[in-house]
Amino acid sequence: MSSFTKAFSSTLGKKLIMGLTGLFLALFLVVHLIGNLQLFKDDGGKAFNEYSYFMTHFMPIKIISYLLYASIVLHAVYALILTLGNKKARTVGYAQYNGAANSTWSSRNMGILGTILLIFIVIHMKTFWAEYHWGGLPYIKYETNLSDASDVKVTPLPYEGKQLVHSQYVDTQNGTEVVVAKDLYKIVNEAFSQPWYVALYVLSMIAMGFHLYHGFQSGFQTLGFDHSKYKPLIDFLGLWVFSIIIPALFAAMPLYFLFK
Amino acid sequence: MSSGNMNLTLKVWRQKNASDKGEFVTYKADSISPDMSFLEMLDVVNERLTKKGQDPIHFDHDCREGICGMCSLYINGRPHGPKRAITTCQLHMRSFKDGETITIEPWRATAFPVIKDLAVDRSAFDRIQQAGGYVSVNTGGVPDANEIPIPKVIADEAFNSATCIQCGACVAACKNASASLFVSAKISQLALLPQGQPERYRRAQAMVAQMDAEGFGSCTNTGACEIECPKEISLTNINRMRRDYFGAKFFKEEEIN
Amino acid sequence: MILDSKIPEGPLAEKWSKHKFNLKLVNPANKRKYTVIVIGSGLAGSSAAASLAELGYNVKVFCFQDSPRRAHSIAAQGGINAAKNYRNDGDSVYRLFYDTIKGGDYRAREANVHRLAEESVNIIDQCVAQGVPFAREYGGLLDNRSFGGSQVSRTFYARGQTGQQLLLGAYSALNRQINAGTVKMYNRHEMLDVVVVDGKAQGVITRNLISGEIESHAGHAVLLCTGGYGNVFYLSTNAMGSNTTAIWRAHKKGAFFGNPCYTQIHPTCIPVSGDHQSKLTLMSESLRNDGRVWVPKTQAMAEQIRKGQLKASDVKEEDRDYFLERKYPSFGNLVPRDVASRNAKEAFDDGRGVGGSGKAVYLDFSDAIRRLGKAAIEAKYGNLFDMYYQITDENPYEQPMRIYPAVHYTMGGLWVDYNLMTTIPGLYALGECNFSDHGANRLGASALMQGLADGYFVIPYTLGDYLAGIGPKPVDTTHPAFAEAKKGVEDRINKLLSLKGTKTVDEYHRELGNIMWEYCGMARNEEGLTKAIGLIQDLKKDFWQNAIVLGANEELNMSLEKANRVADFIELGELMVRDALHRRESCGGHFREESQTEEGEALRNDDEFAYVAAWQFVGEDQPEQLHKEALVYENVKLTQRSYK
């Protein structure tokens, strides 16, 4: 075995994979959130649909997205491997266990929280990602007046059995900039008008908050990063940004569409 | 026979030997003095059992002043009982309420098999240290003690790691039965000191490899070990172990098997 | 038999180095042909085993605990002396030698003690090289503190756990050799007999404490490093498992027992809280630097305190008797351990003891807190105060501490010559289990020093001399002596297991402890000691008829282990009493009431008792035979101690 395979097959190394993928996923959440904030724009989904196109067609982003898929899979697979290993490390459990006395609830329930998130991710990707890539998505046409950017004409182009092509050009005759894009915004709108779906999202985001409450700072520790001067900053970010603000904003999106 | 005014119910794990299945047995512990240590309470129970011709409850203990690390016991869901920074032998009955039911279990970990009742085999810890927990110097021929100046902060930090008494409470407390706190404290003590530098990376690799071979779980940073450690060894040690281990595996050329 | 101490000729300071040169060496290629058995894994055992294995010998180490690191050396708190003179305060090897001889009340061998002082400096170097985290100063160099009985600062320490840190150092050296395959470690094994073949120690019989298997192990030499026997008093600061079995078995096989009655009683322990008490906890002697020892002036007032009707802090200044300050104005509360202990006992005997049982005196910090502030006291003694609070549930910042003396260390042990060999050739005794270096009382911070000096720097030389002499011919367990010893062990175990009486082994142990404490403790007299012999003999008889021993041999059996150890303690107890009876002088830790000055202080009798009492076992239930090794003082002048 090479040094690397040996390193990654140790308990420390397996956890390193968890830490690295976990932190990468956390970082992705920030990017994902910033992009999705476009949903709150009242522009008939133009910014959001343009952003969706950019994210799926810009090469560097595409490469990163494969890394992302791999991270999700690795994070889940290694979680499973480690959990099984940990179960083997204690085959006879305690009759009475008072974990609350010495650790946070989050830290003891990362597996359950992670499973909820994995189920969520599958549903989430099925609804949007798979639809966007392979589903028969409607298109939408935005014609923006070149001399008045607030004058936008929106024309939905329903799916009629044949995919249209994404295009963007300047119509010199009409003096407009024309964008024809897949209308993911519509899908979002439809999905988020179903109360059960919104409930699933909100609950999942709460789970994500708890998962990241432990996971964010734990990820740094797993990498071996621990410094008395910076640890408070990491703990602060972990709590406020990753376990409160980000999940709250994500949860706000379906609620926004539901009550819009 | 001394007496006090506390009447307790004990739910104790009894297991004849490593291959026995084991079960909980309930005992009455009456007239217990709050001034007794927890182990003295068990002594009293055992003496009463002995008088009745019943096998006394076996548990490990020796110095009874919190330093040998031999006593264990998982009491009411926590290693070394409800109080912090002490071992079971330093726990007194005044920490319990009259009439209380106390559940007493052995350390639970595959790497710590039960020998009998509440006594477990912790020789895995010895083997981890045998794998590299030392500075390779022979007796004699060493430099004068003051030829190795060590900054006080470093010496104090190394000392904090060195206070580990090898009791295994960290493993018992950890939901994953991970030995990381113990192993990292041992690695840290020598990683911090100049004497430990020549073998620093070899040591980290060897000890982690042995830790894994013993079948301990992985650390998920719950921090339970730090809270339950009778010597309050810090989680920082675990992170230091990770740095040394990854540093060794990814950046050092010396490879150990 | 004439005892030959084998002390080398020549001037004191040259004896050891000359002796080392004169000792025979074992050819490096031959070393691996020798097997050395080490019993016990404390400071002496671990250091000896590691050092011998490094030289190339095969070593087998046995300990009854679940790990060698749990040996009771681990519990030593204070520190370790070394004549480094890092403080430039006038220390030297000779001064450490002198202080140790004087501290031992002139009952130790000059040559042994000088060697100990010489090696002390090497110990510190060795431990630092291993990574022992001694206390340091801001400049990065080692810190020292002063300790009772000396006027120089020569004690190296690691907070309050010097013993653990030194033992972990030796344990790490041992681990290195286990890893190298030169040491084979046997945890949870107890030695139950020495096997003597043709007059030489050639193996041991052990019991695997988990499976109960009785095993025979052969070796070219056997090193006993099994610590002290203070648990003969039932209550002591020793660990629960500390026992005399190994040395007592060796004694019965022919090793003489030196000065068995020499026991150190430590004045500052947390008092007994009830009959359930299983052991006593020592608190650092340093507390006496700032604490003032007192009891109420009248018995009536003490009675009120014992009944809980009066609080210590409410006792008026004029009603307090600061007895140490009153009797010893120049040393006050800092008198040596034996004096402080004896005076506490006197207060108790006088009916002026405090605490529930009356077996306590006060150690009061209120003056110091007033003078220096609570913060200063907390900084100095915080951890000790916490420990006290934890055990007693009393806050020593508000109420004075209660303290009482407790058995702490046994200076007596197997008689050994200068090479640490007992009277059985090939059988050695190292550390606390030998009698050699501390005379009638041990200086603070010297126990760790002796254990490590014996293990690291003495035995590697002296053992080689013996091994070179007997030659590397293989040894095995086929000799009939092994079968015979094994059968003896098995018979004894079966006999113990057949005891189905009415009294628990702990009850016998407690009873023995009471007899020993009452008649062979801090103060002794002819009448009490004579009575004690009878009491112990009766106890022994009763034990072998009426004790309860449960379970079987083939399992982890605490009941059996305990019974086996207590049976030996009872026999040793009788020998200690006999030794105490014959020594009609007050010396070191012991006050013989028939031998006191007009002022009631200890009076040594150098004309009659300047010798080592070495006792020979001659047969079951027979009085042992006394041999005397005269102590010759060529360098120090014997003086009577005075602390007035």
Side-chain angles (χ1 to χ4, degrees):
Chain A
M1 267 198 295
S2 85
S3 183
F4 295 108
T5 37
K6 239 185 286 176
F8 284 114
S9 54
S10 68
T11 50
L12 268 61
K14 287 178 196 154
K15 277 289 292 172
L16 180 64
I17 292 173
M18 291 296 286
L20 287 171
T21 52
L23 287 174
F24 178 65
L25 291 171
L27 184 69
F28 161 75
L29 281 179
V30 179
V31 179
H32 192 34
L33 178 74
I34 291 168
N36 283 20
L37 285 175
Q38 317 291 338
L39 284 170
F40 292 120
K41 264 192 178 172
D42 191 18
D43 61 353
K46 177 169 183 279
F48 181 74
N49 283 334
E50 281 181 315
Y51 157 77
S52 303
Y53 181 79
F54 172 74
M55 292 304 277
T56 45
H57 291 81
F58 184 55
M59 193 43 81
I61 300 262
K62 271 182 91 165
I63 292 168
I64 289 173
S65 72
Y66 288 116
L67 257 177
L68 181 70
Y69 309 144
S71 291
I72 294 170
V73 172
L74 277 174
H75 198 78
V77 168
Y78 270 85
L80 189 67
I81 292 172
L82 282 162
T83 306
L84 290 177
N86 293 342
K87 287 265 172 290
K88 241 174 75 186
R90 177 174 292 134
T91 43
V92 183
Y94 292 110
Q96 196 175 340
Y97 169 63
N98 185 1
N102 53 38
S103 52
T104 61
W105 184 87
S106 293
S107 72
R108 297 194 306 277
N109 292 284
M110 291 298 278
I112 295 163
L113 293 166
T115 309
I116 294 172
L117 291 178
L118 185 65
I119 294 166
F120 165 76
I121 289 169
V122 171
I123 296 171
H124 175 70
M125 286 183 78
K126 161 83 184 59
T127 316
F128 302 118
W129 178 81
E131 278 299 298
Y132 191 84
H133 283 268
W134 302 293
L137 236 58
Y139 270 67
I140 190 163
K141 186 169 162 191
Y142 301 100
E143 291 162 285
T144 311
N145 189 338
L146 284 173
S147 48
D148 179 7
S150 64
D151 176 14
V152 184
K153 188 177 160 218
V154 182
T155 322
L157 307 168
Y159 179 70
E160 283 161 351
K162 190 170 157 285
Q163 280 294 12
L164 298 172
V165 180
H166 179 94
S167 52
Q168 184 171 14
Y169 56 90
V170 175
D171 184 340
T172 44
Q173 275 186 340
N174 295 324
T176 53
E177 187 211 22
V178 180
V179 176
V180 177
K182 272 190 186 174
D183 195 1
L184 187 62
Y185 185 83
K186 182 164 180 281
I187 305 293
V188 171
N189 199 359
E190 283 165 6
F192 287 169
S193 48
Q194 305 167 70
W196 72 269
Y197 201 83
V198 173
L200 171 84
Y201 263 63
V202 172
L203 287 175
S204 298
M205 288 307 106
I206 291 171
M208 189 173 85
F210 280 107
H211 195 76
L212 288 178
Y213 174 56
H214 176 70
F216 186 75
Q217 54 84 26
S218 173
F220 281 92
Q221 292 198 60
T222 299
L223 267 51
F225 184 85
D226 179 8
H227 194 290
S228 59
K229 288 185 177 157
Y230 301 105
K231 180 104 175 47
L233 176 69
I234 289 170
D235 288 349
F236 178 85
L237 290 176
L239 173 64
W240 289 102
V241 177
F242 285 90
S243 64
I244 296 177
I245 297 174
I246 293 181
L249 285 173
F250 271 122
M253 292 166 191
L255 290 169
Y256 167 78
F257 281 94
L258 185 67
F259 296 113
K260 184 167 78 161
Chain B
M1 179 75 40
S2 77
S3 61
N5 48 15
M6 293 175 82
N7 296 319
L8 303 157
T9 305
L10 307 181
K11 247 183 85 187
V12 185
W13 181 260
R14 301 300 307 260
Q15 183 175 338
K16 276 192 155 358
N17 51 49
S19 51
D20 182 38
K21 216 171 139 266
E23 59 177 355
F24 280 99
V25 178
T26 304
Y27 299 96
K28 287 272 171 231
D30 291 339
S31 310
I32 295 299
S33 158
D35 289 331
M36 287 177 188
S37 75
F38 196 85
L39 298 183
E40 284 168 349
M41 181 274 293
L42 286 178
D43 289 343
V44 168
V45 171
N46 273 345
E47 222 171 332
R48 291 173 188 166
L49 285 176
T50 304
K51 288 243 173 196
K52 285 193 267 178
Q54 294 175 18
D55 198 22
I57 302 161
H58 281 63
F59 58 90
D60 275 327
H61 64 105
D62 200 19
C63 80
R64 297 213 175 179
E65 48 186 278
I67 194 75
C68 77
M70 187 118 173
C71 67
S72 50
L73 304 193
Y74 199 82
I75 302 162
N76 283 347
R78 298 182 68 181
H80 295 305
K83 297 193 91 178
R84 282 178 76 160
I86 54 168
T87 52
T88 297
C89 65
Q90 297 171 298
L91 176 68
H92 283 73
M93 295 315 292
R94 65 180 80 93
S95 301
F96 297 87
K97 287 191 290 288
D98 185 26
E100 198 172 335
T101 296
I102 305 173
T103 307
I104 312 171
E105 300 175 71
W107 281 180
R108 293 290 190 194
T110 312
F112 289 167
V114 172
I115 293 171
K116 183 173 180 178
D117 297 343
L118 303 167
V120 300
D121 179 1
R122 285 168 286 192
S123 53
F125 273 7
D126 284 329
R127 289 189 292 274
I128 291 170
Q129 290 178 93
Q130 287 156 17
Y134 43 76
V135 174
S136 296
V137 289
N138 283 357
T139 302
V142 297
D144 183 272
N146 261 350
E147 273 181 34
I148 314 171
I150 302 171
K152 186 170 162 48
V153 280
I154 300 290
D156 286 349
E157 181 75 9
F159 184 90
N160 289 341
S161 304
T163 56
C164 168
I165 57 171
Q166 212 168 316
C167 65
C170 46
V171 175
C174 178
K175 75 176 189 68
N176 308 322
S178 164
S180 292
L181 192 68
F182 163 74
V183 179
S184 67
K186 294 294 167 192
I187 290 178
S188 280
Q189 180 196 342
L190 297 177
L192 284 160
L193 295 172
Q195 299 93 308
Q197 295 313 307
E199 296 164 287
R200 178 174 176 181
Y201 293 99
R202 156 172 280 272
R203 180 182 308 116
Q205 295 181 75
M207 290 177 77
V208 168
Q210 188 62 36
M211 169 178 85
D212 285 354
E214 296 290 348
F216 290 105
S218 60
C219 170
T220 56
N221 305 317
T222 66
C225 52
E226 183 184 44
I227 304 291
E228 301 295 4
C229 173
K231 297 294 157 188
E232 301 182 293
I233 306 258
S234 161
L235 279 183
T236 302
N237 290 292
I238 301 184
N239 296 322
R240 190 180 290 114
M241 167 175 78
R242 288 166 169 146
R243 288 198 294 280
D244 279 12
Y245 180 76
F246 296 142
K249 285 289 183 203
F250 298 136
F251 305 110
K252 303 285 167 191
E253 292 185 2
E254 186 186 25
E255 180 65 28
I256 71 129
N257 291 304
Chain C
M1 179 173 181
I2 296 162
L3 289 169
D4 180 6
S5 62
K6 301 212 174 83
I7 291 172
E9 295 298 316
L12 183 65
E14 291 167 24
K15 281 179 195 283
W16 178 226
S17 43
K18 274 195 177 155
H19 186 65
K20 279 197 279 190
F21 179 74
N22 290 329
L23 290 170
K24 283 188 285 254
L25 297 173
V26 176
N27 177 327
N30 278 343
K31 286 199 175 103
R32 65 189 156 78
K33 296 179 187 160
Y34 289 98
T35 298
V36 181
I37 290 173
V38 179
I39 309 295
S41 62
L43 287 178
S46 289
S47 60
S51 303
L52 292 169
E54 285 160 10
L55 289 173
Y57 298 110
N58 288 305
V59 183
K60 287 181 169 186
V61 182
F62 297 82
C63 73
F64 72 82
Q65 296 94 342
D66 79 331
S67 161
R69 65 92 60 206
R70 311 220 193 272
H72 196 53
S73 306
I74 203 102
Q77 298 173 359
I80 177 166
N81 287 330
K84 281 284 197 185
N85 194 28
Y86 281 160
R87 287 312 178 93
N88 197 31
D89 59 358
D91 197 13
S92 63
V93 166
Y94 193 83
R95 190 175 294 282
L96 176 54
F97 152 76
Y98 183 82
D99 287 351
T100 309
I101 285 279
K102 184 179 168 212
D105 218 2
Y106 309 100
R107 290 293 175 266
R109 284 186 198 138
E110 279 191 340
N112 280 56
V113 176
H114 197 274
R115 174 174 70 185
L116 178 65
E118 285 173 57
E119 294 296 0
S120 69
V121 297
N122 297 329
I123 294 171
I124 302 303
D125 297 344
Q126 187 65 35
C127 295
V128 166
Q130 289 167 343
V132 170
F134 282 120
R136 287 180 183 267
E137 296 176 323
Y138 281 100
L141 301 183
L142 293 163
D143 193 16
N144 288 123
R145 62 180 169 200
S146 51
F147 227 77
S150 77
Q151 289 166 305
V152 293
S153 218
R154 64 157 81 96
T155 304
F156 294 78
Y157 65 102
R159 277 184 221 165
Q161 47 171 266
T162 315
Q164 156 151 278
Q165 296 312 323
L166 293 175
L167 183 56
L168 290 180
Y171 166 69
S172 73
L174 180 68
N175 279 334
R176 177 170 163 244
Q177 295 307 314
I178 294 173
N179 193 37
T182 48
V183 171
K184 175 102 178 75
M185 186 71 219
Y186 296 84
N187 298 342
R188 293 197 196 255
H189 276 67
E190 185 161 13
M191 189 202 104
L192 295 181
D193 210 356
V194 178
V195 181
V196 180
V197 175
D198 304 330
K200 294 189 182 73
Q202 217 165 85
V204 293
I205 306 295
T206 61
R207 178 170 179 267
N208 178 331
L209 297 182
I210 296 175
S211 68
E213 197 182 333
I214 309 299
E215 301 162 352
S216 303
H217 296 273
H220 293 83
V222 176
L223 275 48
L224 301 181
C225 313
T226 57
Y229 49 86
N231 273 348
V232 71
F233 290 86
Y234 185 70
L235 288 181
S236 79
T237 64
N238 286 7
M240 301 301 286
S242 300
N243 67 78
T244 190
T245 291
I247 58 169
W248 190 251
R249 303 275 111 209
H251 173 58
K252 290 178 92 168
K253 274 284 165 84
F256 290 8
F257 209 116
N259 300 329
C261 82
Y262 285 172
T263 312
Q264 180 168 76
I265 297 183
H266 202 291
T268 49
C269 296
I270 298 177
V272 175
S273 71
D275 294 343
H276 56 260
Q277 192 89 27
S278 59
K279 79 153 267 160
L280 294 168
T281 304
L282 172 76
M283 284 190 303
S284 170
E285 221 170 349
S286 61
L287 288 169
R288 283 197 284 144
N289 285 321
D290 285 303
R292 296 178 70 195
V293 177
W294 66 274
V295 289
K297 273 190 179 150
T298 64
Q299 293 172 355
M301 202 170 269
E303 180 70 24
Q304 275 183 299
I305 292 177
R306 288 197 291 270
K307 286 186 175 158
Q309 297 159 345
L310 183 65
K311 264 173 45 186
S313 51
D314 294 337
V315 177
K316 290 201 209 75
E317 201 58 33
E318 61 267 28
D319 293 330
R320 300 178 175 194
D321 177 16
Y322 295 94
F323 54 92
L324 292 179
E325 296 172 26
R326 172 171 58 81
K327 287 170 78 176
Y328 311 95
S330 62
F331 273 71
N333 294 299
L334 290 173
V335 289
R337 290 176 177 181
D338 54 316
V339 180
S341 299
R342 197 161 55 243
N343 279 280
K345 184 177 185 290
E346 273 170 22
F348 163 71
D349 290 343
D350 192 28
R352 295 189 294 144
V354 295
S357 61
K359 281 188 179 174
V361 299
Y362 286 127
L363 180 63
D364 199 330
F365 289 86
S366 53
D367 271 1
I369 291 174
R370 227 169 291 137
R371 196 174 68 243
L372 308 165
K374 192 182 162 191
I377 294 298
E378 199 171 344
K380 257 175 148 169
Y381 309 114
N383 56 342
L384 293 167
F385 277 41
D386 289 349
M387 182 172 83
Y388 181 84
Y389 176 66
Q390 220 174 67
I391 294 176
T392 63
D393 204 28
E394 289 172 3
N395 184 348
Y397 293 103
E398 287 161 12
Q399 289 293 323
M401 280 184 180
R402 289 173 298 115
I403 56 164
Y404 204 61
V407 172
H408 182 51
Y409 188 91
T410 46
M411 284 74 69
L414 291 184
W415 183 91
V416 290
D417 63 18
Y418 189 69
N419 295 325
L420 303 180
M421 186 145 83
T422 66
T423 47
I424 300 176
L427 181 73
Y428 291 76
L430 283 67
E432 190 180 347
C433 77
N434 73 27
F435 88 104
S436 72
D437 295 354
H438 304 298
N441 207 353
R442 181 178 60 77
L443 207 61
S446 285
L448 304 180
M449 176 170 71
Q450 188 220 341
L452 290 178
D454 286 359
Y456 282 134
F457 299 111
V458 178
I459 201 71
Y461 293 90
T462 60
L463 181 66
D465 185 61
Y466 171 76
L467 294 177
I470 62 168
K473 64 171 193 302
V475 289
D476 59 31
T477 57
T478 53
H479 192 278
F482 276 92
E484 196 186 314
K486 191 176 171 194
K487 180 155 189 314
V489 165
E490 286 165 348
D491 289 349
R492 179 181 160 96
I493 286 174
N494 290 334
K495 198 170 162 199
L496 283 167
L497 286 170
S498 72
L499 296 175
K500 298 284 178 260
T502 53
K503 263 169 82 176
T504 66
V505 171
D506 277 333
E507 284 174 304
Y508 285 102
H509 197 174
R510 264 194 289 270
E511 224 166 284
L512 173 69
N514 285 337
I515 297 169
M516 295 303 293
W517 181 253
E518 188 60 31
Y519 303 110
C520 195
M522 287 176 277
R524 303 142 178 202
N525 59 49
E526 181 113 20
E527 193 196 336
L529 290 164
T530 312
K531 186 176 167 197
I533 291 177
L535 290 173
I536 295 174
Q537 286 173 341
D538 291 347
L539 191 71
K540 182 179 169 184
K541 244 177 260 151
D542 194 54
F543 175 91
W544 285 102
Q545 285 163 3
N546 226 349
I548 313 173
V549 183
L550 299 170
N553 175 54
E554 289 73 27
E555 60 177 341
L556 182 64
N557 188 338
M558 271 168 33
S559 183
L560 174 63
E561 287 169 32
K562 222 186 256 179
N564 185 50
R565 291 170 192 167
V566 171
D568 288 336
F569 274 134
I570 294 174
E571 293 180 3
L572 167 67
E574 185 184 333
L575 178 62
M576 289 173 72
V577 172
R578 284 191 188 279
D579 185 45
L581 183 62
H582 108 279
R583 189 168 283 278
R584 270 185 222 87
E585 65 161 349
S586 298
C587 80
H590 317 115
F591 190 68
R592 181 64 183 252
E593 287 168 8
E594 293 91 332
S595 178
Q596 49 181 303
T597 65
E598 283 169 13
E599 295 156 310
E601 292 302 320
L603 180 66
R604 223 176 49 233
N605 182 347
D606 294 328
D607 294 337
E608 286 182 65
F609 293 100
Y611 62 78
V612 176
W615 298 86
Q616 182 183 10
F617 177 82
V618 287
E620 292 292 342
D621 298 317
Q622 286 183 45
E624 300 212 353
Q625 197 182 331
L626 174 65
H627 300 263
K628 295 177 184 177
E629 178 204 335
L631 290 166
V632 184
Y633 290 91
E634 294 168 336
N635 297 276
V636 297
K637 194 171 151 289
L638 277 57
T639 56
Q640 199 68 243
R641 296 185 303 165
S642 171
Y643 299 96
K644 290 281 170 185

